[in-house]
Amino acid sequence: MGYNIGIRLIDEFLAKSNVLRCVDFNETAEMIAKIGFKMFLGVNVSVVNWDADGSCCNIVLKDNLLVDFVELPDTCQGLYYCNILSGVIRRALETGHEDGSHLDP
């Protein structure tokens, strides 16, 4: 589900944010954190725990509003609604990269 949402979000992000092309993965992660999450969710996030070669990091939500407004039935124990964000980010990065846009993973 998040994967499909990412397709539409990248178009809106690029149209409204007027960002320049990112030069590396570090800059891309910061762009998503500082602009993307604020634009679409209104939350502040930080990029932390970079690995030695700069190819892996964690994006940490300080205030996760998604958990405040979602209730899952007892039959869905172990399902984390916020995992949708991973799919959204993945697809947005892939789409941005495929069409030669600003976000190059």
Side-chain angles (χ1 to χ4, degrees), residues 5-20:
I5 293 169
I7 294 171
R8 289 179 174 74
L9 287 182
I10 190 66
D11 289 334
E12 187 172 343
F13 176 82
L14 293 172
K16 291 183 177 180
S17 66
N18 296 319
V19 297
L20 299 175

Side-chain angles (χ1 to χ4, degrees), residues 44-66:
N44 294 316
V45 301
S46 56
V47 181
V48 297
N49 299 331
W50 284 97
D51 65 355
D53 59 345
S55 63
C56 182
C57 65
N58 294 335
I59 296 178
V60 179
L61 283 77
K62 296 176 185 350
D63 299 312
N64 188 352
L65 300 177
L66 292 178

Side-chain angles (χ1 to χ4, degrees), residues 1-42:
M1 191 162 115
Y3 194 75
N4 292 329
I5 293 169
I7 294 171
R8 289 179 174 74
L9 287 182
I10 190 66
D11 289 334
E12 187 172 343
F13 176 82
L14 293 172
K16 291 183 177 180
S17 66
N18 296 319
V19 297
L20 299 175
R21 179 178 286 274
C22 296
V23 295
D24 58 17
F25 181 61
N26 186 310
E27 188 177 345
T28 301
E30 291 293 332
M31 186 82 58
I32 291 168
K34 301 287 189 269
I35 299 174
F37 273 90
K38 191 70 169 175
M39 179 186 294
F40 293 110
L41 295 177

